[in-house]
Amino acid sequence: MRNKTDRNDARGIAQMMRLGWYRAVHVKNIEMQKMHTLLANRKLLKRKLIDIETTLRAYGLLIGVVARWQYEAGVVELLEHCDPCSPPQ
């Protein structure tokens, strides 16, 4: 096919169907797609949390164990009480 047009695409798909140049694929159900999305997002958030803690640790700041809803307040409090000019302990 010289030009990519809807008509040429339809002709190519029809030819593939006629000649049997396709195979069936498994499509996951919607529940599995939702689960995969949730797990991927959780993995991303966990990685970002570790990145933040590693960055703060470079300045000698440890967040410690805090509840998820207290995490932001803990980080802000650590940054307010640290002296950026002093070397890490």
Side-chain angles (χ1 to χ4, degrees):
M1 283 184 256
R2 282 188 110 73
N3 298 325
K4 179 146 176 59
T5 64
D6 289 343
R7 174 178 268 179
N8 288 339
D9 284 348
R11 187 175 293 137
I13 291 171
Q15 184 176 358
M16 285 190 295
M17 297 302 289
R18 239 188 344 266
L19 299 175
W21 293 350
Y22 67 93
R23 66 181 147 146
V25 295
H26 174 73
V27 178
K28 294 181 182 176
N29 64 18
I30 193 70
E31 291 301 318
M32 294 310 297
Q33 290 177 12
K34 288 179 184 178
M35 179 64 70
H36 175 72
T37 301
L38 289 173
L39 290 174
N41 287 336
R42 181 184 184 279
K43 184 178 180 180
L44 174 68
L45 291 173
K46 184 94 171 144
R47 183 72 242 161
K48 292 300 178 186
L49 175 75
I50 291 170
D51 289 345
I52 291 169
E53 288 178 350
T54 303
T55 302
L56 292 174
R57 195 172 296 139
Y59 293 100
L61 304 173
L62 296 176
I63 296 174
V65 179
V66 294
R68 191 179 312 172
W69 56 275
Q70 294 174 328
Y71 185 80
E72 182 181 359
V75 171
V76 170
E77 183 180 336
L78 272 176
L79 293 176
E80 285 175 352
H81 291 76
C82 83
D83 183 12
C85 297
S86 67
Q89 301 168 354

